[in-house]
């Protein structure tokens, strides 16, 4: 996968793309990162990328020319039809489902804005996806794009050690993930559930399934509204509802 990021602050990405899984994915040639300062594409001598909004108002608006020219150049160096993603608080609320969708593409271009907003023609004629990572406003789109890129890259084949490492993640199955424990079995009087020490794999899987339902019911019951429960899970859920306030 090829990932291009248009930003006015390329230095923000140095640590993120050169650490942990994102670094390993790059070294394994599963992904390439290209950070572009779109100020370099400005066609005026001052290299300005923003201007006052028509009609007046506070703040500055990003001009279309530098971003259109940057995206056109990147298309010529990669895919002719990449996903062009605008990081924007007005965009689609980001989800694991969206991460899985983006992970199937081979070329993503992220546009990270600053200032008051974007010229609307960028949104209408250039962008394929608008994404928001939550109902709050950040200084710019950089942090949001890092979140999206991290969640996408880890899904690429061969990036994580085991496929199951992400297949059972919270939200990947539609439910929150079950609790995890490791050694020692007894830490300062706090013990690992006996089921996990039993060696009975069928029993363990049933415990994990039930705990996943319990955690989802308690913390994110809204996820259950659109989740297709099996008959077995329906029975588990009815039992759990009697034990959860």
């Amino acid at each position: 996968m090829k990932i291009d990021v248009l930003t006015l602050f390329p230095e923000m990405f140095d640590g993120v793309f050169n650490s942990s899984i994102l670094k390993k994915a790059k070294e394994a040639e599963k992904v390439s990162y290209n950070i572009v300062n779109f100020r370099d594409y400005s066609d005026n001598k001052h290299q300005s990328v923003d201007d006052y909004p028509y009609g007046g108002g506070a703040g500055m608006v990003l001009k279309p020319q530098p971003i259109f020219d940057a995206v056109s150049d990147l298309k010529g160096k990669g895919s002719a039809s990449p996903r062009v993603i605008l990081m924007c608080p007005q965009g689609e609320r980001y989800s694991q489902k969206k991460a899985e969708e983006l992970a199937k593409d081979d070329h993503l271009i992220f546009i990270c804005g600053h200032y008051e907003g974007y010229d609307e023609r960028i949104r209408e004629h250039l962008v394929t996806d608008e994404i928001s990572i939550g109902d709050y406003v950040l200084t710019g789109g950089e942090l949001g794009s890092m979140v999206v890129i991290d969640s996408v890259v880890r899904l690429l084949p061969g990036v994580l050690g085991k496929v199951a490492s992400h297949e059972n993640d919270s939200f990947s199955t539609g439910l929150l993930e079950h609790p995890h424990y490791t050694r020692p079995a007894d830490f300062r009087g706090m013990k690992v559930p006996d089921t996990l020490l039993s060696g009975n794999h069928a029993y363990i899987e049933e415990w994990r399934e039930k705990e996943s339902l319990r955690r989802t019911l308690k913390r994110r019951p809204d996820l259950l509204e659109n989740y297709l429960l099996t008959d077995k899970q329906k029975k588990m859920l009815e039992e759990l509802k009697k034990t959860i306030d």
Side-chain angles (χ1 to χ4, degrees), residues 64-228:
Q65 177 272 315
I67 294 177
F68 267 80
D69 285 357
V71 170
S72 177
D73 187 32
L74 294 173
K75 284 182 177 180
K77 297 174 181 177
S79 169
S81 55
R83 297 285 281 269
V84 181
I85 301 164
L86 189 72
M87 300 306 303
C88 173
Q90 299 179 29
E92 170 188 355
R93 177 82 71 88
Y94 195 55
S95 66
Q96 185 66 22
K97 182 179 179 181
K98 187 69 173 184
E100 292 168 359
E101 176 189 327
L102 294 176
K104 297 175 182 177
D105 281 88
D106 59 4
H107 187 190
L108 305 177
I109 298 176
F110 289 84
I111 302 175
C112 304
H114 259 70
Y115 310 117
E116 185 63 25
Y118 308 92
D119 184 289
E120 189 66 15
R121 289 164 289 190
I122 296 171
R123 192 190 311 274
E124 292 180 344
H125 301 287
L126 191 63
V127 168
T128 61
D129 301 81
E130 293 182 52
I131 291 178
S132 166
I133 62 168
D135 294 339
Y136 48 87
V137 180
L138 297 170
T139 304
E142 285 77 13
L143 294 175
S145 69
M146 293 176 198
V147 169
V148 175
I149 291 168
D150 182 280
S151 65
V152 168
V153 169
R154 68 189 301 277
L155 297 177
L156 299 179
V159 170
L160 295 182
K162 297 180 180 179
V163 174
S165 293
H166 68 73
E167 285 184 348
N168 294 321
D169 283 344
S170 291
F171 305 111
S172 290
T173 63
L175 301 174
L176 298 185
E177 196 173 8
H178 57 77
H180 292 276
Y181 296 89
T182 188
R183 294 175 178 81
D186 185 334
F187 175 67
R188 299 178 182 176
M190 296 175 281
K191 298 180 179 180
V192 172
D194 292 338
T195 302
L196 299 180
L197 306 176
S198 68
N200 187 326
H201 295 293
Y203 193 22
I204 290 171
E205 286 306 309
E206 183 174 337
W207 179 89
R208 287 174 171 169
E209 184 177 19
K210 189 170 185 178
E211 291 305 308
S212 178
L213 282 167
R214 185 195 306 276
R215 182 158 288 187
T216 304
L217 177 62
K218 189 172 183 178
R219 301 184 180 186
R220 289 292 305 276
D222 57 296
L223 295 176
L224 295 170
E225 294 175 5
N226 298 311
Y227 184 78
L228 187 60

Side-chain angles (χ1 to χ4, degrees), residues 202-203 205-214 217 229-244:
Y203 193 22
E205 286 306 309
E206 183 174 337
W207 179 89
R208 287 174 171 169
E209 184 177 19
K210 189 170 185 178
E211 291 305 308
S212 178
L213 282 167
R214 185 195 306 276
L217 177 62
L229 294 164
T230 65
D231 290 339
K232 178 183 175 183
Q233 289 173 331
K234 289 177 182 177
K235 185 176 179 180
M236 285 181 176
L237 197 58
E238 288 305 312
E239 293 175 357
L240 288 169
K241 286 179 179 179
K242 298 175 184 177
T243 64
I244 296 177

